[in-house]
Amino acid sequence: MTETKGSTPGTPDNPWGDTKTNAPSNGVNLGPTRRPRPVFPEPVPPAVHGPARVVAMVNQKGGVGKTTTTINLGAALVEYGLKVLLVDFDPQGALSVGLGINPLQLDLTVYNLLMERSVTAEDVLLETGVEGLDLLPSNIDLSAAEVQLVTEVAREQVLGRVIKPLLPHYDVCLIDCQPSLGLLTINALTCAHGVMVPLECEFFALRGVALLMDTISKVQERLNEDLELEGLLATMYDARTLHGREVLARVVEAFGDKVFHTVINRTVRFPDATVAGEPITTFDPSSLGANAYRELAREVLSRWPAPATMAR
């Protein structure tokens, strides 16, 4: 295998952000994960909607791209004809803010849905600026739920119970979890079909992965035997740095095919879209970031059973 210089990272002919391209003698094109670069088919929009496949975005380290991925993967799935429900399950309310909603002005949130029997999911549900993309919002009130749920019967199953009436109306439900492995995150894992782990391409982001995998394994054994690891998603990748390439290589070495081929590059367009309160797919539809999340949407759909949704 020989190594040759590729095109400039971040240009249309190099959307994956490679600074170097391994060009083996057989001509196989390798992506940034140093595996053969697949082409994922354009998905066929579903003829009918629901029930939803529930996916939890989990990583106990903050700032790794969980919220950005939840918003933009959801928006990309909508572009392919799916109906998507987003659940803001972080007391910081970043998912709500990223969709242009002020959490401090909300009368009802996920907290009320969890703790008040009289509140239904339909009472809390909000439409976003993207048709087909709906939201169960959150704010700082949710931080009290972790303490209050401790005394509840079947406390790990409360989230699954309250969102269950909505799932027949959607194809995918994405839960944006807080940077913690506490009771709220356990609730998300207990009701999910799959867990996706956004992972920043930085050394310290690797340190907590073993603990996270142990937690997922315990949930599978004790609470949700159907839970699957969807995969690890490399985010904030900068192919110009040796450190970034080495971290990504270590992740692939450790987890193999569980690492998504799609890699999300670091770009200022993501925070710009957050400030604008909309997904990057509508804020800057032709950007490399938007195309990366469309690529991720095609990849996750290709991994899911056909049809892409599944019933509990």
Side-chain angles (χ1 to χ4, degrees):
M1 179 180 293
T2 59
E3 190 175 80
T4 60
K5 284 285 185 180
S7 55
T8 304
T11 55
D13 61 327
N14 187 6
W16 295 68
D18 306 15
T19 53
K20 296 180 179 179
T21 300
N22 289 328
S25 58
N26 61 7
V28 175
N29 192 15
L30 302 184
T33 64
R34 299 300 177 239
R35 294 174 293 176
R37 188 186 312 230
V39 176
F40 301 105
E42 195 83 3
V44 178
V48 294
H49 296 291
R53 182 179 180 91
V54 181
V55 178
M57 296 284 178
V58 180
N59 192 325
Q60 74 269 34
K61 187 179 186 300
V64 298
K66 292 189 297 294
T67 301
T68 298
T69 296
T70 304
I71 293 173
N72 294 303
L73 175 58
L77 289 169
V78 166
E79 287 190 349
Y80 292 125
L82 281 71
K83 290 193 65 176
V84 179
L85 172 66
L86 304 183
V87 179
D88 190 347
F89 217 45
D90 184 349
Q92 298 178 73
L95 181 64
S96 303
V97 172
L99 289 167
I101 296 166
N102 185 346
L104 301 179
Q105 296 179 350
L106 296 171
D107 295 324
L108 295 174
T109 66
V110 169
Y111 169 78
N112 304 98
L113 184 59
L114 293 174
M115 306 309 303
E116 301 174 20
R117 291 279 181 172
S118 61
V119 176
T120 67
E122 288 80 7
D123 296 332
V124 180
L125 190 67
L126 297 177
E127 295 181 350
T128 71
V130 179
E131 186 177 357
L133 187 69
D134 295 336
L135 171 70
L136 291 177
S138 172
N139 60 20
I140 194 62
D141 292 345
L142 185 60
S143 60
E146 191 133 26
V147 176
Q148 295 171 338
L149 284 173
V150 170
T151 58
E152 289 284 323
V153 176
R155 58 183 179 269
E156 300 91 353
Q157 300 170 3
V158 176
L159 177 63
R161 173 178 58 80
V162 298
I163 68 171
K164 186 176 181 179
L166 293 178
L167 299 184
H169 307 292
Y170 295 90
D171 301 301
V172 181
C173 172
L174 301 178
I175 305 174
D176 182 30
C177 297
Q178 64 177 340
S180 160
L181 296 180
L183 186 54
L184 293 180
T185 299
I186 298 301
N187 259 265
L189 293 174
T190 301
C191 71
H193 299 106
V195 53
M196 186 179 297
V197 183
L199 185 71
E200 182 183 6
C201 291
E202 189 264 340
F203 173 74
F204 289 109
L206 288 174
R207 298 185 65 189
V209 174
L211 178 60
L212 175 58
M213 294 302 158
D214 184 56
T215 300
I216 292 171
S217 178
K218 289 179 179 177
V219 171
Q220 289 171 323
E221 293 172 6
R222 304 173 187 179
L223 296 168
N224 182 5
E225 62 181 12
D226 297 325
L227 182 65
E228 300 176 3
L229 177 62
E230 299 279 350
L232 291 87
L233 174 68
T235 63
M236 304 182 189
Y237 179 61
D238 188 346
R240 296 169 299 179
T241 67
L242 175 62
H243 179 69
R245 297 197 299 272
E246 287 180 340
V247 169
L248 181 55
R250 288 183 61 184
V251 173
V252 174
E253 181 182 357
F255 294 97
D257 290 340
K258 284 298 183 182
V259 181
F260 288 105
H261 289 275
T262 306
V263 170
I264 308 301
N265 290 322
R266 189 183 296 273
T267 169
V268 297
R269 299 308 280 166
F270 288 126
D272 289 346
T274 300
V275 172
E278 58 181 303
I280 197 170
T281 52
T282 58
F283 177 75
D284 192 353
S286 61
S287 67
L288 296 170
N291 288 330
Y293 275 107
R294 293 185 184 106
E295 180 84 8
L296 177 63
R298 294 194 296 272
E299 182 170 2
V300 297
L301 288 174
S302 72
R303 291 188 177 206
W304 289 345
T309 57
M310 64 186 297
R312 168 64 68 198

